[in-house]
């Protein structure tokens, strides 16, 4: 990312069509209050939309690679045609012109664009009417009081991060596979155009459908929260599942084999988590993080993961750690002591076993999913109570866990 280091004027605004890998490491200038001098320079811009020197962000000595790439697309008719097909509009604006047309300051426009993960492009004319409309919508939500400015930036950031990963996957795996093998005498770009033309409307509708479904499910969970505090700091069961000996595998397997193993692990885990009512929070190659509102659901998923993976000879051993308690949710991720404890339990769990913390063991006992001890189960049976426990809990040795003090893990198994 290239920004003028002279300190004059606004930071170089970003370019929506291409996400930059380091977009989240925006320079501190993107967070400064609006600079009246820079806004005045924007208002006095010439017909090309760029303020006069020395406030021109392109006046610095840094090489702006993103701007060079944006200009290179202009010189490639096929690439430009493909971009216009995807964006649905032609290039019309420089970043300054887009911000001015949207009625927002360059400082706010830069914050929104960087939050979405778009690279700085100096004053290249690479933005479309859709970019102007997006700025107007976000700024309009703030002006109407529906979102605070920090919340609007967070919306932009969470959307940008999620869709950037989706777009990378679609190009790297999906579209690349469809354009192989190449037709004789045709470039990949020439093959890609008709494919994108056919797939774009279908994929767009499908993405919106999935998003609405996920939004409905998330909204349902929030409105069922018992109080406002629970909407943000909720009590959840959190689980980590970790492949044992993955580092050794990376040295032994070929890259393609390793990629197939990780994909199989993530796919199996995602399917099991979804099928049993949990939510997959994220995947980390050799590890997955999931959450569930119900401790019994989280326990069932943990055991199912162990049982499924152990029947696959290509998979290494698996270990799972579960904890129950207050969790902070932000941008689709989860944080807090409960999450840290689940991670630590995973690291000390035996192979092909599930360890849970005392709070989750208590919750399973409270809901009737597991007896606190076999003596408790025997007493219930002796009194003629028709209690059918799903799980068994066995206390393990107490141990000190880094950063969390002494914990007493419990080994979770199925009851016969």
């Amino acid at each position: 990312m290239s920004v003028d280091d002279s300190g004059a004027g606004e930071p170089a605004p970003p370019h929506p069509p291409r996400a930059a890998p380091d977009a989240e490491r925006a320079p501190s200038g993107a967070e400064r209050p609006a600079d009246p001098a820079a806004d005045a320079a924007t208002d006095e811009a010439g017909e090309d939309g760029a303020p006069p020197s020395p406030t021109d962000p392109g006046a610095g000595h840094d090489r702006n690679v993103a701007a060079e790439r944006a200009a290179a697309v202009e010189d490639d008719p096929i690439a430009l045609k493909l971009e216009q097909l995807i964006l649905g509009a032609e290039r019309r604006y420089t970043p300054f012109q887009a911000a001015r047309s949207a009625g927002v300051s360059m400082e706010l426009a830069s914050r929104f664009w960087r939050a979405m993960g778009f690279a700085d492009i100096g004053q290249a004319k690479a933005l479309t009417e859709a970019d102007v409309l997006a700025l107007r919508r976000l700024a309009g939500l703030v002006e109407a009081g529906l979102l605070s400015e920090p919340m609007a930036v967070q919306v932009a950031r969470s959307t940008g991060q999620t869709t950037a990963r989706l777009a990378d996957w679609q190009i790297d795996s999906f579209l690349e596979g469809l354009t192989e093998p190449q037709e004789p005498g045709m470039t990949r770009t020439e093959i890609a155009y008709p494919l994108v033309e056919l797939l774009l409307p279908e994929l767009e509708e499908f993405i919106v459908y999935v998003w609405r479904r996920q939004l409905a499910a998330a909204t349902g969970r929030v409105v069922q929260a018992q109080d406002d505090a629970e909407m943000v700091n909720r009590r959840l069961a959190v689980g980590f599942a970790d492949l044992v000996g993955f580092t050794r595998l990376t040295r032994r397997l070929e890259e393609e084999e390793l990629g197939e193993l990780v994909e199989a692990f993530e796919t199996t885990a995602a399917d099991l988590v979804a099928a049993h009512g949990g939510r997959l929070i994220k995947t980390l190659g050799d590890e997955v993080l999931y959450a569930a509102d119900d401790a019994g659901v989280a326990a069932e998923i943990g055991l199912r993961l162990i049982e499924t993976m152990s029947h696959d000879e290509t998979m290494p051993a698996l270990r799972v750690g579960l904890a129950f308690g207050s969790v902070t949710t932000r941008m689709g991720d989860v944080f807090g002591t409960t999450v840290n404890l689940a991670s630590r339990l995973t690291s000390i769990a035996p192979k092909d076993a599930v360890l849970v913390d005392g709070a989750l063991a208590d919750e399973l006992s409270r809901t009737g999913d597991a007896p606190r001890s076999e003596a408790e189960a025997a007493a219930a049976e002796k009194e003629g109570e028709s209690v059918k426990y799903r799980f068994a809990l066995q206390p393990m040795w107490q141990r000190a866990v880094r950063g969390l003090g002494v914990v007493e893990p419990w080994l979770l198994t199925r009851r016969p």
Side-chain angles (χ1 to χ4, degrees), residues 12-17 48-51 56-58 64-74 83 91-99 113 119-128 131:
H15 173 210
D48 64 350
D56 186 350
N64 193 330
V65 176
E68 293 174 3
R69 288 175 179 169
V73 173
E74 289 278 6
E83 178 192 274
R91 296 181 171 197
R92 283 187 59 185
Y93 303 100
T94 67
F96 279 101
Q97 291 172 331
W113 280 325
D120 295 340
I121 58 163
Q123 282 309 302
K125 184 175 286 188
L127 307 187
T128 73
D131 298 305

Side-chain angles (χ1 to χ4, degrees), residues 150-162:
M151 180 59 71
V153 171
Q154 191 177 67
V155 167
R157 179 170 288 112
S158 61
T159 306
Q161 289 178 355
T162 303

Side-chain angles (χ1 to χ4, degrees), residues 65-316:
V65 176
E68 293 174 3
R69 288 175 179 169
V73 173
E74 289 278 6
D75 299 329
D76 188 333
I78 297 179
L80 185 62
K81 187 179 178 184
L82 188 58
E83 178 192 274
Q84 290 173 356
L85 171 66
I86 295 173
L87 297 179
E90 297 181 355
R91 296 181 171 197
R92 283 187 59 185
Y93 303 100
T94 67
F96 279 101
Q97 291 172 331
R100 187 170 56 186
S101 296
V104 303
S105 69
M106 266 309 306
E107 191 271 340
L108 183 58
S110 293
R111 289 191 70 196
F112 284 152
W113 280 325
R114 283 199 177 98
M116 286 183 272
F118 301 148
D120 295 340
I121 58 163
Q123 282 309 302
K125 184 175 286 188
L127 307 187
T128 73
E129 199 65 48
D131 298 305
V132 173
L133 181 59
L135 283 179
R136 283 179 187 159
R137 282 176 170 163
L138 277 175
L141 291 172
V142 174
E143 291 173 5
L146 295 172
L147 294 177
S148 66
E149 188 172 307
M151 180 59 71
V153 171
Q154 191 177 67
V155 167
R157 179 170 288 112
S158 61
T159 306
Q161 289 178 355
T162 303
T163 54
R165 184 179 180 186
L166 176 63
D168 282 342
W169 178 86
Q170 288 173 331
I171 293 301
D172 292 343
S173 302
F174 184 54
L175 189 59
E176 183 178 354
L178 286 176
T179 55
E180 290 285 358
Q182 296 182 17
E183 294 291 332
M186 293 185 69
T187 66
R188 183 184 296 278
T189 306
E190 290 171 328
I191 298 173
Y193 187 91
L195 287 172
V196 171
E197 191 172 29
L198 291 171
L199 289 171
L200 188 63
E202 301 298 328
L203 289 177
E204 184 175 24
E205 289 191 13
F206 182 71
I207 289 170
V208 172
Y209 154 73
V210 174
W211 170 71
R212 284 181 177 272
R213 268 288 175 188
Q214 294 286 6
L215 187 64
T219 303
R221 291 192 295 268
V222 169
V223 298
Q224 289 174 11
Q226 298 190 5
D227 52 51
D228 290 342
E230 191 179 341
M231 291 183 182
V232 178
N233 298 299
R234 305 164 57 194
R235 287 180 63 79
L236 295 175
V238 178
F240 279 92
D242 177 57
L243 292 175
V244 179
F246 185 76
T247 303
R248 291 192 299 274
L249 277 175
T250 60
R251 294 192 292 264
R252 183 164 53 87
L253 296 179
E254 297 290 336
E255 287 186 4
E256 186 174 348
E257 293 177 309
L258 192 63
E260 290 174 354
L261 184 145
V262 168
E263 184 176 358
F265 169 59
E266 292 182 349
T267 299
T268 301
D271 288 348
L272 284 172
V273 170
H276 293 280
R279 297 186 300 283
L280 187 69
I281 304 299
K282 58 186 172 184
T283 59
L284 303 169
D286 63 331
E287 189 174 55
V288 297
L289 169 62
Y290 70 93
D293 298 309
D294 182 80
V297 169
E300 180 66 29
I301 291 171
L303 290 173
R304 291 269 182 174
L305 286 168
I306 296 291
E307 293 161 358
T308 302
M309 299 296 179
S310 63
H311 285 89
D312 187 342
E313 295 180 355
T314 65
M315 283 288 171

Side-chain angles (χ1 to χ4, degrees), residues 7-22:
E10 295 291 333
H15 173 210
R18 179 67 183 173
D22 61 346

